[in-house]
Amino acid sequence: MDAAPAEPGSRLASALAARLERIDGESIGAELQAGHSARACDLLAELSAVQTDLRERTLGMPFQALSRIREELARVRRATTSAEVIASAPAALCAACGFDRAMISSLRGSTWLPATLHVEVDTDSAVNAAFRDFIQDVRIALTSSMPEAELVRRKAPALIQNAQSETRAFRPLIEVSQTREYVVAPIIAGGSVVGYLHADTYSSGRRLTGDDRDRIQIFADGLGLILERTVLLERLALQRERIGKAFYAARTMTEGLSAAPVQLVRQNIPATESRPPVSLPSMLAASAPRLPDGLTPREREVLALLASGATNAQIADRLTVSETTVKSHVKHILRKLHASNRAEAIARYLYLARSQDRAL
């Protein structure tokens, strides 16, 4: 199978190292012994230039890696849904950190659920096809000995070397993927581990190092923040949609009520039947629900008026008493109904009214 191309920084470093091997101290010494001082000076100048270039490249490589991670995370951040973020993350991880394969998984309780696998090279090989098919419906129950379970406890990445002989790993996944070593990092959102990122260099055979472990964690940290932001935006959009639907339903209902025609209905009352005039207190007493014993007739009238939404001033006007008297009645009502405020007393009154209607 074809080997994956090395990272640009790695290729330059290898080329510079090869030049250093060619320009070694023995070559310079040989030129000096042969009397070729000018050639020896040229070799010394070239050696100094190569050493300087190699030092600059070596020091700059970590910053180049961080720049690639930032660029790929910026692409992932353009996704509008959490599903799009999850689907694009493995490919972005491979591009940012030079991995051949990357997999993103979710974590639900103590169950590990592989979600998406990206293969950078040899996508149609038998191994990668089997790997892709295997994760479609697999559900992995985490045990305390698994490296992935340790990630949940420590919230730190891990480099698993000699994966084929690693007894703590989930053996079916290791066997079907044929990975020799891999790095894994937790995805943290809202302070909790919500998933994993796994990656390896299966096709190229490049050995993984602590730098790979650190880089996948940097990417996972950024991905967790992106996921958290995207999910919050999705929830906000859903809440806005629900509020919009509620307002639309309320407006439709009120428009229907306002558009309904007003009709005056006359009830035919037999001439022989006479009705005595009914005062407001007697109407309230006739329609009021049965309240606990202990309330005076006047307190019952006050409570009924309270339930209708009347203020103290309105109650005083209707009953032809002072507001001070009304406040005194209200105080006695609250005490007798064991209510802490007017709203609680009204709620109990309405509850009794509904109960009485159902009984009828």
Side-chain angles (χ1 to χ4, degrees):
M1 67 179 60
D2 297 333
E7 298 181 49
S10 299
R11 291 199 301 268
L12 287 172
S14 300
L16 291 172
R19 289 177 62 188
L20 281 176
E21 291 179 0
R22 182 172 57 84
I23 310 170
D24 55 16
E26 294 181 2
S27 298
I28 296 174
E31 294 291 341
L32 288 174
Q33 290 179 359
H36 301 155
S37 58
R39 175 58 180 164
C41 289
D42 291 340
L43 289 175
L44 281 172
E46 185 178 359
L47 177 62
S48 177
V50 170
Q51 288 177 334
T52 300
D53 198 4
L54 180 59
R55 181 167 55 252
E56 292 177 352
R57 295 288 181 181
T58 303
L59 294 175
M61 283 175 61
F63 296 100
Q64 294 173 6
L66 290 176
S67 178
R68 289 196 301 273
I69 291 174
R70 181 183 60 81
E71 291 172 358
E72 292 301 324
L73 286 174
R75 292 191 181 93
V76 173
R77 192 175 182 271
R78 298 190 190 107
T80 56
T81 66
S82 56
E84 292 176 358
V85 170
I86 293 171
S88 62
L93 176 60
C94 288
C97 302
F99 296 123
D100 298 339
R101 301 186 300 191
M103 181 178 70
I104 188 170
S105 308
S106 63
L107 181 64
R108 297 179 185 174
S110 59
T111 304
W112 163 19
L113 302 169
T116 302
L117 171 68
H118 174 77
V119 180
E120 190 73 12
V121 293
D122 295 330
T123 58
D124 298 327
S125 69
V127 171
N128 288 328
F131 188 7
R132 190 179 294 107
D133 292 340
F134 178 80
I135 70 168
Q136 291 300 314
D137 300 311
V138 66
R139 301 171 63 90
I140 304 171
L142 289 177
T143 62
S144 59
S145 61
M146 286 183 180
E148 286 73 16
E150 183 68 18
L151 260 66
V152 177
R153 294 189 291 268
R154 297 176 56 243
K155 296 181 180 180
L159 167 59
I160 307 301
Q161 297 173 318
N162 302 317
Q164 291 297 320
S165 59
E166 177 58 69
T167 57
R168 300 177 303 152
F170 182 63
R171 296 307 308 167
L173 186 63
I174 297 298
E175 291 169 2
V176 73
S177 66
Q178 296 187 19
T179 184
R180 293 176 290 274
E181 55 183 6
Y182 65 90
V183 287
V184 54
I187 304 171
I188 302 173
S192 301
V193 177
V194 298
Y196 303 116
L197 280 173
H198 288 74
D200 69 2
T201 50
Y202 172 77
S203 297
S204 66
R206 177 177 68 84
R207 295 301 303 272
L208 296 175
T209 66
D211 290 337
D212 295 298
R213 178 191 58 209
D214 297 339
R215 291 172 188 173
I216 194 175
Q217 184 61 68
I218 293 172
F219 187 93
D221 289 341
L223 181 62
L225 294 175
I226 293 173
L227 272 174
E228 190 171 353
R229 169 185 174 273
T230 306
V231 169
L232 288 175
L233 290 176
E234 287 178 331
R235 291 175 179 174
L236 179 60
L238 179 60
Q239 190 68 14
R240 286 177 176 172
E241 181 182 356
R242 290 176 176 173
I243 293 174
K245 289 181 178 179
F247 273 115
Y248 176 78
R251 185 179 65 183
T252 303
M253 182 182 67
T254 54
E255 288 176 353
L257 291 174
S258 62
V262 177
Q263 297 179 349
L264 296 177
V265 180
R266 177 181 178 182
Q267 293 182 348
N268 294 324
I269 301 175
T272 57
E273 181 180 346
S274 61
R275 295 184 179 179
V278 182
S279 63
L280 180 61
S282 63
M283 288 176 62
L284 293 173
S287 60
R290 296 175 181 174
L291 294 171
D293 295 334
L295 292 181
T296 65
R298 180 53 65 119
E299 290 170 351
R300 293 172 184 268
E301 293 171 357
V302 171
L303 180 55
L305 289 170
L306 283 176
S308 69
T311 64
N312 286 350
Q314 292 171 337
I315 295 174
D317 183 58
R318 293 189 182 185
L319 299 182
T320 320
V321 295
S322 67
E323 286 192 47
T324 303
T325 302
V326 173
K327 292 179 181 179
S328 177
H329 287 315
V330 172
K331 182 178 179 181
H332 294 159
I333 291 169
L334 296 181
R335 178 175 55 80
K336 292 179 180 180
L337 293 182
H338 303 289
S340 57
N341 51 51
R342 295 161 65 109
E344 187 176 348
I346 292 171
R348 294 187 180 180
Y349 175 86
L350 296 176
Y351 171 77
L352 291 170
R354 288 193 297 269
S355 301
Q356 181 173 309
D357 290 341
R358 287 194 294 267
L360 295 176

